[in-house]
Amino acid sequence: SFTYPDSGITAIHNCSFKIEKGGSLAIIGKTGSGKSTIANLICRLYDPVEGEIMLDKQLISKHNLALLRKNIGYAPQEVFLFSDTIANNIAFGIENKDKQRIEQAAKNAVIFDNIAAFPKQFETIVGERGITLSGGQKQRISIARAIIKEPQILIFDDCLSAVDTETEEEILTNLKTVMKDKTTIIIGHRVSSVKNADHIIVMENGSIIEQGNHQDLISKQGEYAA
């Protein structure tokens, strides 16, 4: 369970779930249901008020924080881009800024063709907070930044909301290869984003109201099916 200290709002109430190494979990629910708070807790931006998060059978708080975050690729809901080149924005956080590696991450995030169409391509300077790019382009650069690290844990927090369903399908197909052997959490409010996950939890007002795989949840004829 988790209550935000500044507002006193209880965002998570008695939530429990498990993800196997290399497996995928999807979290779906309306705005304000507590989905992003779970991502924040896994990244240790906060610690739970009650209960605990275990990673490799050890309390997450016992892991070295820098090492934990180094092993997480996080594409957040609110994309933050630096006033720098597109290449440096994608390669942020990695030491080996190999051109081929940057281009491959852009291809997997289905942003390569957009970047190639800019006069300066990967050397295009992005305005402060990515002002020169569309919402969908910013989200895809954020996805490229998350996957270029080749981390053990991937978290995609509603980072496909600004792309059309065709592009979303292409990105999700590419991510299947990227996600192989990685532990992945996909947060969204569109069924199309989450339906292929091994396990899906449906959130409402900070609690899990349904869980199972896509077929299980459809057959329950509950909130997810609706």
Side-chain angles (χ1 to χ4, degrees), residues 86 90 106 111-122 124 141:
I86 289 174
I90 292 174
I111 187 66
F112 182 85
D113 290 347
N114 287 132
I115 298 167
F118 294 137
K120 291 189 177 176
Q121 300 186 341
F122 280 85
T124 303
I141 286 172

Side-chain angles (χ1 to χ4, degrees), residues 48-176:
V49 174
E50 286 176 44
E52 55 203 15
I53 300 171
M54 308 289 286
L55 178 62
D56 292 342
K57 297 179 182 173
Q58 187 182 351
L59 276 170
I60 204 166
S61 54
K62 300 287 185 197
H63 287 270
N64 175 291
L65 186 59
L67 196 62
L68 170 75
R69 289 184 180 159
K70 193 177 178 184
N71 279 286
I72 295 176
Y74 181 39
Q77 202 171 358
E78 291 292 322
V79 180
F80 188 94
L81 297 181
F82 301 97
S83 188
D84 201 340
T85 64
I86 289 174
N88 284 344
N89 266 290
I90 292 174
F92 177 74
I94 63 164
E95 284 160 23
N96 173 20
K97 299 192 178 183
D98 176 60
K99 189 185 174 195
Q100 203 174 351
R101 199 173 162 192
I102 293 167
E103 287 181 358
Q104 188 54 53
K107 284 173 184 171
N108 285 335
V110 194
I111 187 66
F112 182 85
D113 290 347
N114 287 132
I115 298 167
F118 294 137
K120 291 189 177 176
Q121 300 186 341
F122 280 85
E123 293 309 304
T124 303
I125 298 283
V126 173
E128 196 67 45
R129 294 187 75 90
I131 202 161
T132 48
L133 302 169
S134 72
Q137 287 171 338
K138 284 193 279 193
Q139 284 187 334
R140 283 174 284 160
I141 286 172
S142 176
I143 292 167
R145 179 194 285 169
I147 62 181
I148 198 170
K149 287 168 69 177
E150 297 178 4
Q152 292 304 304
I153 299 169
L154 284 163
I155 302 175
F156 301 111
D157 185 0
D158 209 7
C159 60
L160 296 170
S161 59
V163 301
D164 59 73
T165 47
E166 197 178 318
T167 308
E168 177 189 51
E169 194 62 46
E170 198 179 340
I171 293 168
L172 291 170
T173 301
N174 292 350
L175 289 182
K176 277 181 196 165

